[in-house]
Amino acid sequence: MVMSLMMPYWHFKGKQNSSGEAYSVKPADFIKRTEKFILANTGTESLLEEGLSPVVAAPPGEIYLVAKQFLWFPTLKLRAGETYRLHVSAADFQHGFSLQPMNMNFQVVPGYDHVLTIKPQAPGTYPIVCNEFCGIGHQNMIGKLIVE
Amino acid sequence: MSDNKNGKRICATTGLPICLDAEFFVKCNAVLAVVFLLIGGIGALLLALTRWQTVHLLPVDWFYRILTLHGLNMLIFWILFFEVAILYFVATSLLNVKLASVKTAWVSLIMMFVGAVMVDVTILVGQADVMMTSYLPLLAHPAFYLGIILVAVGTLIGVILYFATLHKAKKEKTYQGSVPLVVFGATAAAIIAVVTLLHGAIVMIPTFLHSMGWIAQPDPLWYRMTWWGLGHMSQQVNVCAMVSVWYLLGALTTGAKPLNETVCRGAFLLYIFFINLASAHHLLVDPAISAGWKIWNTSYAMYLAVLASMIHGFTVPASVEVAMRQQGYVKGLFGWLTAAPWKNPGFSAFFLSLVIFGFGGGITGVTLGTQQINIIAHNTLRIPGHFHVTVVGGTTLAFMGLAFYVVPLLFQREYIFKPLARLQPYLFGIGITVMAMGMSFAGSMGVSRRSWDIEAAGSIYGPAAHLFLAAVGIGGVLAFLGLLLFILLTVGTLLFGRSIVGKPMESWGTPKPLAVGEPEHTPIGLPTGAGSPALAMAEAHPTQGTMVLALVFLLSFAVYYFANWKALADAWPVR
Ligand code: HEM
Ligand SMILES: [Cu+2]
Ligand SMILES: [Cu+2]
């Protein structure tokens, strides 16, 4: 009984929920959006193909993250206490977004723009571990989320 | 005795008629099941020794390859082959009927075997490094999918043969009244299996066609949803089969009888109706699936299925308690439990399975299946931590216990090295429990599953996480030894066990009634009598001990459950 009530209760009152907000998107389009987002916030062009993960400091609002064998692109720099709408999707295979050490985990599926509305709490550098098997280099797919 | 009358022999131990055709296929399926258990078991040892970071045995590509191999050989092949064996055995011997069609049994067996070999070979030559879930767009060689399809269809044919045999029994009126509870449970398992296997076909056939390049890639999210329709429900098949085995072993080892048949049957029905609804708990943090549906699916629907498990989890030990008390073991709350036949591997495997599944699986399962808590658990080691107590410490251990009875009965040989056999369930049960706890706690600290090296990019996790990974390694080695012991004993028995053709099997040891004037035990140890007047007190409160156990369970559950909400509340707000 208690258990049946706990889930709806947290749904309305709790601060951690997975609403599953998502939109269909072609992987290529999602990559373009992310590259445009990077250009707008850093003034320099960076492409996913280059295989690097530039640091992008973005104001609160819509931010983008692509998962690709074995890279998180780009490296987001956020401000504590602000609310962001993090769009995360995959360029190739399924990946897992696992933010440590908070241990918050979400599935990343190509073709779906998964929107997570998050509010970073404390400054720090947080590893983003890929926790869905995505190929033989899967264990190396560790990115960063910077919070100031 | 064992003469061949109309293709049947009479079992010298139980007096049950055994259909010789069915016996042959039961043996084939069971032996192949054990072969796949061995393959998966060797893989298990290698995996456990790799996840223990200090040892880190396998190279990276072989880790993922063996992980794929282990998942499929254990969860699919070992379990399915053994379950088909159970179905044939239950239908023919408990209902006293012959297998409906020998040809069909051959077709099923060959398809399953060829399919399983195709899958294993494809994995081992490195053409299917996709994990057993093979989430699209990852793609394996077509032979991998074709192999899985063959196994699924072969099993389906076996299950249909089971139904045909039930039908035959009904038509020939080989039994009176309603079918025995064990048959009822097995039938529930078989019904769920049909739905499961159909899901399997729906997801695997397009994937196979895609791997051949004939059709476009199916949608990855559709794949996940359908795959988990199969993946999840198949676990319910295991639970049903396991619970049926509990009832059987409870009866064989302590004379326990179901307290209330109707309730038990009702609980089996709940599984059938509600379980496929609970499948969403694998998708709780997926994109594009609405929270409302997730919550409905994982709360009300799932709790009904869990309720069913709680009913069995209560009535099974309660029936043992009643049986023991009726035999005079009335001392205190737990006198019945301490006097239970702990040296009988059938009993210890059954009771450990019950405890490990009930406590470990129940507590972690309901918690992980909670929509929001899943955020802090998805794809971490908590997940394998959970299913190694359910399908390994629960189902696999129960099946091992059953083997200690079925092998002597069917192969008509006594187990070799009996003292080791008495030890085996403890070794395996303790090993799995240690490993699963290591996995669960490491997972709570964020350690991901399916990872060859958690510190590939420098230190992320503290020393505590590494301590728990060491527990995974050590528990894994113990469990492997338990598994190996089981296989060696069983294979050794088939080859060298003392023949008991025409003789009853020796009892593994059952409780001796304390009360005066108790009726005789049958050779297998089925106590046949009921209580005496001196036991009136015991009968007034026949299940106190189980009640206390249930309370302890509920308390530990509540602590774990709310500790998890607390941990979740400490995470960043997210929608
Ligand atoms: C000696 C006993 C066993 C040991 C030591 C063992 C150990 C392990 C280990 C270390 C992993 C890897 C976890 C990870 O890194 O994600 C694993 C995965 C797994 N095991 Fe076992 N296991 C045993 C028996 C079984 C049995 C009997 C079954 C099924 C009936 C089973 C089913 C699985 C499955 C389904 C996976 C997940 C594979 C995947 O992630 O694709 N295991 N096991
Ligand atoms: Cu990845
Ligand atoms: Cu990965």
Side-chain angles (χ1 to χ4, degrees):
Chain A
M1 284 306 130
V2 177
M3 297 175 335
S4 314
L5 294 177
M6 215 38 211
M7 279 199 259
Y9 166 76
W10 205 270
H11 181 67
F12 294 114
K13 287 280 155 75
K15 295 204 173 91
Q16 293 83 13
N17 278 289
S18 166
S19 60
E21 180 181 351
Y23 305 93
S24 266
V25 64
K26 286 211 183 72
D29 293 343
F30 190 84
I31 295 169
K32 273 202 209 98
R33 262 181 238 169
T34 308
E35 289 169 345
K36 218 153 85 199
F37 157 77
I38 297 173
L39 182 61
N41 285 289
T42 62
T44 28
E45 176 157 271
S46 306
L47 300 179
L48 178 62
E49 286 166 11
E50 292 162 5
L52 299 173
S53 188
V55 175
V56 178
E62 315 287 319
I63 56 177
Y64 292 84
L65 183 64
V66 184
K68 182 187 178 230
Q69 258 191 351
F70 300 105
L71 182 77
W72 294 100
F73 173 85
T75 301
L76 295 165
K77 192 186 225 181
L78 312 179
R79 269 178 263 151
E82 302 282 2
T83 301
Y84 295 85
R85 279 169 55 80
L86 171 62
H87 296 254
V88 44
S89 188
D92 44 17
F93 301 107
Q94 298 197 23
H95 299 269
F97 175 93
S98 175
L99 190 64
Q100 296 301 329
M102 281 73 67
N103 199 11
M104 299 169 73
N105 307 280
F106 296 93
Q107 192 73 17
V108 184
V109 182
Y112 291 86
D113 170 2
H114 193 170
V115 187
L116 303 170
T117 306
I118 57 166
K119 194 163 159 193
Q121 295 296 291
T125 300
Y126 301 97
I128 305 173
V129 176
C130 176
N131 74 356
E132 182 57 81
F133 174 75
C134 55
I136 300 293
H138 157 64
Q139 70 284 346
N140 298 324
M141 183 159 167
I142 298 174
K144 271 187 302 201
L145 187 76
I146 303 169
V147 179
E148 303 182 312
Chain B
M1 303 216 100
S2 59
D3 53 347
N4 191 339
K5 265 194 213 128
N6 343 312
K8 285 185 193 168
R9 73 173 169 88
I10 299 295
C11 175
T13 311
T14 58
L16 289 174
I18 293 184
C19 162
L20 293 174
D21 293 330
E23 184 178 28
F24 172 78
F25 288 104
V26 173
K27 284 182 184 174
C28 282
N29 277 288
V31 167
L32 287 176
V34 171
V35 171
F36 292 114
L37 180 66
L38 179 62
I39 299 176
I42 294 170
L45 178 68
L46 300 172
L47 292 177
L49 289 178
T50 306
R51 294 273 356 211
W52 184 1
Q53 291 258 155
T54 328
V55 180
H56 216 232
L57 185 69
L58 291 174
V60 58
D61 48 347
W62 276 100
F63 173 77
Y64 294 120
R65 205 160 287 158
I66 296 294
L67 188 52
T68 311
L69 187 81
H70 172 73
L72 282 160
N73 277 272
M74 289 300 207
L75 195 60
I76 314 288
F77 304 158
W78 144 250
I79 296 276
L80 285 185
F81 275 89
F82 203 84
E83 279 170 353
V84 171
I86 293 182
L87 286 183
Y88 290 166
F89 176 72
V90 162
T92 56
S93 67
L94 296 184
L95 295 184
N96 186 15
V97 65
K98 285 176 66 182
L99 207 53
S101 156
V102 174
K103 267 200 206 114
T104 318
W106 271 116
V107 172
S108 157
L109 182 68
I110 292 173
M111 282 180 82
M112 287 174 74
F113 180 67
V114 170
V117 171
M118 277 172 78
V119 170
D120 279 357
V121 170
T122 316
I123 295 172
L124 287 173
V125 297
Q127 292 294 311
D129 295 334
V130 293
M131 304 290 112
M132 98 197 161
T133 40
S134 58
Y135 287 142
L136 284 171
L138 283 176
L139 210 52
H141 189 277
F144 175 80
Y145 304 106
L146 194 59
I148 294 180
I149 294 172
L150 281 177
V151 173
V153 176
T155 311
L156 194 58
I157 293 175
V159 174
I160 291 170
L161 178 56
Y162 170 77
F163 287 123
T165 307
L166 287 190
H167 179 71
K168 184 160 177 261
K170 186 157 190 163
K171 218 175 55 195
E172 294 175 2
K173 300 204 171 57
T174 57
Y175 62 95
Q176 280 115 36
S178 51
V179 297
L181 183 63
V182 175
V183 178
F184 193 85
T187 307
I191 292 173
I192 307 172
V194 170
V195 186
T196 305
L197 293 162
L198 288 178
H199 268 81
I202 294 174
V203 70
M204 277 301 148
I205 291 174
T207 310
F208 167 67
L209 295 177
H210 169 59
S211 72
M212 297 293 291
W214 293 340
I215 61 168
Q217 183 201 298
D219 182 74
L221 207 59
W222 170 84
Y223 180 96
R224 280 176 72 80
M225 288 186 70
T226 326
W227 200 95
W228 280 112
L230 145 120
H232 182 79
M233 270 188 279
S234 66
Q235 296 322 304
Q236 239 40 57
V237 179
N238 301 340
V239 173
C240 269
M242 173 185 73
V243 171
S244 307
V245 171
W246 285 351
Y247 281 112
L248 191 61
L249 285 175
L252 288 175
T253 56
T254 66
K257 292 191 197 68
L259 293 184
N260 181 334
E261 286 247 352
T262 321
V263 171
C264 301
R265 284 168 200 249
F268 277 122
L269 286 180
L270 279 182
Y271 280 137
I272 302 182
F273 291 141
F274 291 103
I275 203 58
N276 65 340
L277 295 169
S279 61
H281 69 228
H282 300 271
L283 312 170
L284 292 177
V285 293
D286 272 29
I289 301 176
S290 86
W293 185 71
K294 287 175 187 169
I295 290 184
W296 189 83
N297 184 305
T298 49
S299 58
Y300 308 105
M302 186 172 92
Y303 293 144
L304 282 171
V306 170
L307 178 68
S309 291
M310 301 218 312
I311 294 176
H312 292 303
F314 181 79
T315 59
V316 170
S319 66
V320 171
E321 178 169 3
V322 168
M324 291 297 293
R325 283 180 188 274
Q326 284 179 345
Q327 289 169 72
Y329 297 96
V330 291
K331 230 190 284 155
L333 272 181
F334 296 114
W336 59 278
L337 193 57
T338 47
W342 292 104
K343 286 185 181 161
N344 175 338
F347 179 81
S348 58
F350 142 64
F351 213 84
L352 286 175
S353 158
L354 177 73
V355 171
I356 296 175
F357 181 90
F359 266 79
I363 290 175
T364 57
V366 175
T367 308
L368 296 180
T370 304
Q371 198 227 338
Q372 295 92 347
I373 290 178
N374 195 257
I375 293 174
I376 55 170
H378 178 69
N379 270 357
T380 66
L381 267 180
R382 292 177 76 173
I383 308 301
H386 162 68
F387 62 66
H388 280 87
V389 283
T390 55
V391 75
V392 188
T395 310
T396 301
L397 189 51
F399 287 3
M400 287 172 169
L402 183 64
F404 288 121
Y405 277 89
V406 166
V407 168
L409 292 182
L410 287 190
F411 291 89
Q412 304 180 68
R413 284 176 188 277
E414 277 296 325
Y415 256 90
I416 55 169
F417 300 122
K418 288 198 172 171
L420 285 177
R422 297 183 196 281
L423 211 71
Q424 191 275 339
Y426 295 97
L427 189 56
F428 188 73
I430 291 171
I432 278 299
T433 308
V434 170
M435 180 180 87
M437 286 175 83
M439 285 176 164
S440 291
F441 289 120
S444 298
M445 304 181 153
V447 176
S448 120
R449 68 185 287 198
R450 296 177 167 176
S451 177
W452 175 65
D453 179 2
I454 59 167
E455 311 280 30
S459 178
I460 297 177
Y461 308 94
H466 284 278
L467 194 70
F468 289 123
L469 287 177
V472 170
I474 294 166
V477 170
L478 289 180
F480 170 75
L481 291 176
L483 184 145
L484 190 68
L485 186 58
F486 169 76
I487 294 177
L488 290 180
L489 287 172
T490 302
V491 173
T493 301
L494 300 190
L495 298 176
F496 310 114
R498 182 163 53 82
S499 168
I500 49 168
V501 175
K503 278 183 281 195
M505 81 179 259
E506 249 171 53
S507 169
W508 283 106
T510 50
K512 305 241 173 340
L514 290 180
V516 277
E518 274 301 318
E520 301 250 297
H521 277 216
T522 53
I524 194 175
L526 271 174
T528 46
S532 68
L535 305 173
M537 201 215 45
E539 266 149 34
H541 305 284
T543 58
Q544 299 157 322
T546 309
M547 294 277 190
V548 172
L549 290 180
L551 269 174
V552 174
F553 166 79
L554 286 176
L555 277 179
S556 7
F557 171 75
V559 170
Y560 190 76
Y561 190 67
F562 286 104
N564 270 281
W565 282 108
K566 173 75 179 66
L568 177 66
D570 291 342
W572 292 355
V574 59
R575 279 231 159 242

